[in-house]
Amino acid sequence: MAVYSMTGYASAQLEAPVSEERQNASHRQLGLEIRSVNSRFLDLSFRLAEDLRAQEPMLRSLLTARLKRGKVEVRAFFVDANDSAALPDPSPQMLQRLCSLQDTVTAWLPDAAPLSVSDALRMCAAGSGAGLDWSEPLKKLAQGTLNDLTTAREREGERLAATLLDRISQLRVLARQAVPLVPRLVEQQRQRFMERWKEAMELAEGSVAPEAAQDRALTEATAFAIRIDVAEEITRLDSHLDEIEHLLKKGGEVGKRLDFLIQELHREANTLGSKSAAMELTKISVDMKVLIEQMREQVQNIE
C-alpha cells in the first residue's frame, strides 16, 4: 500500500441538468472543490450551495469511506458555463413569481421595502435549480474529485516517505559514528584514573595500601564506563528506525504509529546527549535531534 499525505487539493466541474424553463438560457455547471490539511482525526466541513445542502449526507458517506484523517473542506457551487463570473439570466417565470410574492407581502405589510434588482437577481440565482435532482451529478462529480484528491495525497505521501527514508539513513550514519567513541572514552578515562592513582600513591608515601588504591581507581573507571555507555540507546534507536522503515514500505494508515515512534527516537537522542562525556557525542546527539525534528514535521502530514 502507498503512504498518503493528509494535504491535498482537487477540483472539477460537470455540466448540470437544466430545467425546461431555462432551456434557452446559458447552461450552468456544477463545481466541486475538496481541500485537506493535517489533523489528528477526520474533520469534515461543507460549504454547499442552497440547492445542494440535501446532498451533504451522501458526500459525507463518500468521504468517510475514502479518507481516515485530515481536516477536509468540501465546497459545491454553480457556475455559468459561458462566464464563471456572470450571474445566470433570470427567467420570466421566476420574475413573474417574485412580483406575485411581493404583491402578496405588501398587501399584508404595506410598509415592507420593495425588492431591489440585487435582491431579485440573488433570489433568481438561488432558485434557478429548484425542482432538479442533483444527487446523481453531484455523486459522479464527487467520486471523480475524490479520486483526484487521493492521487494528489498519494503523490505527496511518496515525497514525504522519501524524505523520511533519507533522514533515517542519516541517523544510521550518526549512530555508527557514536558506537566506537564510547570504548575510546572509557580507555582514556581508565588511563586518567590510573595516572591519578600513581600520583596519589606517591603523595601517600605508603600510608594507603597499593591494592586498595588500585581497586578504588578501577571501580571509578568501571562506574564511569557504565554511566557513559550508550550501546542500549543505539540499539533501541536502530530498532525504532527499522520499524519506521518497515511502516513506510508497508503503507496505509501509519501516521499515528509513526508519530509515536518519532517521540521514542527523540527520547533516545536525549538520553544519548545526557550521557555524553565528549564533544563528539554531544554533537552527534544534537545532529540527531535536528534530523528527528525534521522527521516529526513530515510525519504530522501522514494519514
Side-chain angles (χ1 to χ4, degrees):
M1 294 179 66
V3 173
Y4 292 94
S5 169
M6 286 185 281
T7 302
Y9 173 82
S11 65
Q13 293 184 2
L14 183 70
E15 187 76 16
V18 182
S19 60
E20 293 181 1
E21 65 186 28
R22 292 186 55 80
Q23 286 294 331
N24 296 326
S26 60
H27 288 193
R28 305 181 77 197
Q29 288 185 336
L30 184 62
L32 185 69
E33 289 182 353
I34 307 177
R35 66 180 74 239
S36 66
V37 295
N38 61 312
S39 176
R40 292 183 62 191
F41 309 102
L42 183 60
D43 181 9
L44 304 178
S45 62
F46 297 88
R47 296 170 56 195
L48 308 179
E50 188 67 31
D51 297 328
L52 302 175
R53 289 186 179 178
Q55 308 306 322
E56 180 177 327
M58 179 270 293
L59 291 173
R60 187 178 294 274
S61 177
L62 288 176
L63 290 167
T64 53
R66 298 284 295 275
L67 308 176
K68 304 306 177 184
R69 292 178 66 200
K71 182 176 177 59
V72 183
E73 179 183 312
V74 181
R75 178 172 170 259
F77 53 92
F78 295 108
V79 294
D80 188 271
N82 299 322
D83 183 2
S84 60
L87 289 170
D89 295 333
S91 67
Q93 293 87 345
M94 181 64 72
L95 292 174
Q96 184 177 7
R97 177 63 176 159
L98 287 176
C99 287
S100 175
L101 290 173
Q102 180 174 248
D103 291 341
T104 302
V105 171
T106 53
W108 287 91
L109 301 170
D111 295 333
L115 286 172
S116 65
V117 173
S118 61
D119 292 335
L121 288 175
R122 178 171 50 80
M123 292 182 180
C124 289
S128 61
L132 298 178
D133 183 9
W134 304 104
S135 58
E136 285 305 315
L138 185 58
K139 183 176 182 180
K140 178 181 178 181
L141 186 62
Q143 289 172 336
T145 309
L146 261 176
N147 289 336
D148 292 342
L149 179 70
T150 302
T151 300
R153 285 166 59 124
E154 181 179 358
R155 188 163 54 246
E156 178 66 11
E158 290 177 357
R159 187 191 68 79
L160 294 176
T163 300
L164 290 172
L165 290 172
D166 176 68
R167 300 300 184 273
I168 287 173
S169 298
Q170 294 183 51
L171 284 171
R172 291 192 190 279
V173 170
L174 290 173
R176 287 196 295 269
Q177 292 174 0
V179 170
L181 288 177
V182 175
R184 194 169 70 213
L185 289 171
V186 171
E187 179 59 25
Q188 290 174 357
Q189 190 67 14
R190 192 184 72 82
Q191 292 293 337
R192 191 177 299 118
F193 281 145
M194 293 304 295
E195 290 172 3
R196 287 172 55 191
W197 167 72
K198 291 178 181 178
E199 293 174 359
M201 289 301 299
E202 291 174 358
L203 293 173
E205 295 180 349
S207 61
V208 179
E211 295 80 4
Q214 186 175 14
D215 289 344
R216 176 64 178 174
L218 292 176
T219 300
E220 290 186 17
T222 302
F224 174 79
I226 294 173
R227 188 168 65 252
I228 70 167
D229 186 15
V230 294
E232 187 176 348
E233 284 73 20
I234 296 298
T235 299
R236 285 199 296 262
L237 189 139
D238 280 335
S239 176
H240 296 327
L241 292 177
D242 288 341
E243 180 63 15
I244 292 173
E245 196 167 358
H246 169 72
L247 290 174
L248 291 174
K249 292 178 180 179
K250 174 185 175 183
E253 300 170 40
V254 297
K256 290 184 177 180
R257 185 165 179 81
L258 286 174
D259 189 48
F260 170 76
L261 288 169
I262 293 298
Q263 294 178 38
E264 293 301 305
L265 281 179
H266 208 282
R267 192 193 315 277
E268 302 305 334
N270 274 335
T271 305
L272 188 147
S274 67
K275 288 186 173 184
S276 174
M279 286 301 298
E280 296 95 326
L281 271 178
T282 300
K283 184 179 183 303
I284 287 175
S285 173
V286 171
D287 290 343
M288 281 184 171
K289 290 178 186 179
V290 171
L291 291 172
I292 292 169
E293 181 61 22
Q294 292 174 357
M295 293 176 69
R296 187 190 67 80
E297 292 174 357
Q298 303 299 322
V299 164
Q300 296 299 313
N301 289 315
I302 293 180
E303 185 177 53

